[in-house]
Amino acid sequence: MDHDEERFQFCSLESEGVQAIQPSIEVVRQWHSEGNGKGRKRKKNTQPQLGVDDDEGEDYFAFQAKPSKTTKSSFKDLSDKVLIKAFIEGVPEQARNTEYAEHRALLHKELKKSFPKWMHQIQSGFNLLFYGFGSKLKLLDEFGKSMLSAYPLVTVEGYSPTTTVRNLLTMITQSVLGVVQPMPAEPMDHCRVLQTMFHSQAAARAARAAIPEDLFIIVHNIDGLALRSPAAQSVLARLASIPQIHMLASIDHAYAPLLWNHIMVGHFNFAWQDATTFEPYEHESEANLALYKSFGKNEVQSGHKSVRSVLNSVPANAKRIFKLLANTQLQKIKEMKELGGRGAARRKAIALAEFSTMCEQNLLAGGRDALNTHLREFFDHKIVKKVGQSGEEMLYVDMSEKELVSVLQEDLAKVD
């Protein structure tokens, strides 16, 4: 028996199928008595590591010292996996499952009988929170059409990755209140200004805001990924606390209430409603497929699908401005072709000052600040870009001519 075998005892763990190394108490004492314990400076690489080669140990620590991969590269590898591809292709098929369709229809019919009760609770000063298994999108939309047709209504798609509270605030400010003046860039500051307008008639008159007696907001999936941040929930809670605003929201995550502290809970003032529908999350799933397909891409796609998602989330005035910009760009492209020019970004772009004047003439935006506010979502998603030319800011849509024509014909044809 050699020296190493004398100093260590081996214990076989037959149940686990492995061997563990356990130094005996006598060996440990002997090791300390030889001066190997605390207080003595160890010599580098004097003792061989049991079960690990020197090269392997160095490779391990060298690997650990390397910076970790970023999510871009890891998601790029992940997006190529068969599992993700199968998930993307399989969700719509599962969502279209028609099994137990008759039972779900009966359940939906029973839930519709609660519409008068829900309306009474709203009139009593409560906001409503709908929980339960299954998509509640169809149920809430039907409630809005049948019970809220006489009131201004704003719908928020919390399940969409492109949804932001900034979109909601802009829609309330411009589409509901008719305010065109620039608002604070920070959502919470914007929300405070709205709160002041609703509370003070003088502030509303100063902003030329048409304050409605009742404003309804339906938030599909208030616990959606795009709205889960504390800042977003704080803005929603503050909006819900305004007496003239009535909020109807749905949740699907089991731990959704953990998003709110006691202050938010007081502001929301929710009356909980069991709205178990067992309906498939078809629309919600389709809205998130683009997010899974974009894994590994360095920038947000600026194609037709991405533009359509943004157009669905911005107010009508922002759509009109984008339509004007797209038509102007197509006209410049046409002029370039007639002159035999190429489609460089600088050539098809329009001066920001010139376009701001066009928006003012068409009563779409009053000045550059208002224009930038309307186009902020398009800037954030890299659909509309700015370039500098001779010290002047230029504006253009980062899309091909074919894509611009498709967007104008399919998505903006009904926008006046």
Side-chain angles (χ1 to χ4, degrees):
M1 182 180 296
D2 57 17
H3 184 64
D4 289 337
E5 292 178 343
E6 290 178 355
R7 301 191 66 177
F8 291 90
Q9 294 179 352
F10 291 83
C11 167
S12 176
L13 304 178
E14 297 179 356
S15 60
E16 300 294 336
V18 297
Q19 284 189 337
I21 303 174
Q22 294 184 337
S24 64
I25 296 177
E26 292 78 6
V27 171
V28 173
R29 288 176 178 174
Q30 181 182 355
W31 186 78
H32 278 280
S33 64
E34 293 175 354
N36 294 320
K38 184 177 179 181
R40 177 178 174 180
K41 186 177 181 180
R42 299 182 184 178
K43 296 181 180 179
K44 188 176 181 180
N45 294 332
T46 56
Q47 295 290 338
Q49 296 182 4
L50 294 180
V52 181
D53 294 337
D54 292 342
D55 293 339
E56 293 180 358
E58 292 177 0
D59 292 342
Y60 170 78
F61 288 108
F63 176 79
Q64 292 295 327
K66 293 181 179 179
S68 60
K69 290 184 177 181
T70 62
T71 54
K72 291 181 180 179
S73 58
S74 59
F75 276 140
K76 184 178 187 302
D77 297 336
L78 183 62
S79 63
D80 295 333
K81 299 297 182 181
V82 178
L83 182 62
I84 295 297
K85 182 179 179 181
F87 172 77
I88 293 173
E89 295 176 351
V91 167
E93 182 179 355
Q94 297 171 8
R96 290 192 294 268
N97 182 17
T98 58
E99 191 175 4
Y100 303 112
E102 295 181 0
H103 298 80
R104 294 199 301 269
L106 291 174
L107 185 58
H108 182 80
K109 186 177 180 180
E110 289 297 318
L111 287 171
K112 286 178 62 177
K113 295 179 181 179
S114 300
F115 282 5
K117 182 188 76 171
W118 295 346
M119 195 65 187
H120 175 71
Q121 289 178 325
I122 293 172
Q123 293 171 345
S124 300
F126 292 97
N127 297 308
L128 302 183
L129 183 67
F130 297 88
Y131 68 95
F133 186 82
S135 173
K136 291 159 278 292
L137 181 68
K138 178 182 176 182
L139 180 67
L140 293 184
D141 283 346
E142 193 164 340
F143 178 81
K145 292 178 181 178
S146 61
M147 305 297 291
L148 307 178
S149 58
Y151 304 94
L153 173 64
V154 176
T155 303
V156 181
E157 298 176 345
Y159 52 82
S160 174
T162 61
T163 298
T164 62
V165 290
R166 184 186 298 164
N167 295 341
L168 171 61
L169 296 172
T170 303
M171 189 174 297
I172 294 174
T173 304
Q174 299 176 358
S175 301
V176 179
L177 305 186
V179 177
V180 295
Q181 68 183 36
M183 301 296 286
E186 288 296 325
M188 183 54 72
D189 295 336
H190 190 165
C191 185
R192 290 192 182 99
V193 173
L194 287 178
Q195 196 173 22
T196 303
M197 291 181 185
F198 276 96
H199 288 167
S200 172
Q201 294 182 357
R205 286 195 299 269
R208 298 181 180 179
I211 303 298
E213 294 184 3
D214 295 283
L215 169 61
F216 287 84
I217 301 177
I218 294 180
V219 185
H220 297 295
N221 291 98
I222 196 173
D223 55 343
L225 288 175
L227 300 177
R228 284 185 187 176
S229 66
Q233 292 295 323
S234 296
V235 170
L236 292 172
R238 186 174 287 269
L239 282 176
S241 68
I242 299 175
Q244 296 94 326
I245 293 181
H246 312 286
M247 184 173 292
L248 298 84
S250 65
I251 58 173
D252 286 294
H253 200 287
Y255 298 120
L258 297 179
L259 293 172
W260 310 314
N261 56 32
H262 66 285
I263 298 177
M264 295 181 189
V265 170
H267 285 332
F268 277 124
N269 192 29
F270 279 135
W272 289 58
Q273 309 294 330
D274 185 357
T276 300
T277 64
F278 294 104
E279 291 290 341
Y281 295 93
E282 182 173 4
H283 194 72
E284 295 89 335
S285 301
E286 290 178 353
N288 283 277
L289 287 182
L291 178 64
Y292 288 98
K293 291 180 179 179
S294 65
F295 279 173
K297 296 186 178 180
N298 295 329
E299 296 183 355
V300 181
Q301 291 181 345
S302 58
H304 191 172
K305 293 183 179 179
S306 178
V307 175
R308 178 175 294 171
S309 299
V310 176
L311 288 173
N312 290 335
S313 64
V314 298
N317 210 39
K319 296 178 183 178
R320 297 188 188 101
I321 293 175
F322 181 79
K323 183 177 181 179
L324 178 61
L325 179 59
N327 282 321
T328 304
Q329 183 166 315
L330 285 176
Q331 182 64 30
K332 290 182 73 67
I333 293 175
K334 182 180 179 180
E335 294 174 357
M336 285 165 43
K337 287 184 176 180
E338 293 176 354
L339 298 174
R342 297 182 179 180
R346 296 173 184 266
R347 291 190 174 186
K348 66 183 180 183
I350 180 173
L352 179 59
E354 180 185 350
F355 186 68
S356 178
T357 303
M358 293 174 60
C359 291
E360 290 180 8
Q361 293 173 351
N362 288 274
L363 303 178
L364 297 177
R368 291 193 184 186
D369 292 337
L371 177 60
N372 287 326
T373 301
H374 286 301
L375 293 177
R376 181 170 291 146
E377 287 300 318
F378 297 99
F379 288 140
D380 292 345
H381 290 81
K382 296 181 174 59
I383 297 171
V384 176
K385 294 184 177 181
K386 292 181 181 179
V387 292
Q389 185 174 5
S390 302
E392 186 177 21
E393 277 191 312
M394 309 291 288
L395 206 64
Y396 74 99
V397 182
D398 190 16
M399 298 178 65
S400 65
E401 180 183 4
K402 183 179 180 180
E403 288 175 324
L404 278 176
V405 173
S406 178
V407 170
L408 288 170
Q409 293 178 350
E410 298 179 18
D411 301 287
L412 296 173
K414 297 182 180 180
V415 177
D416 299 330

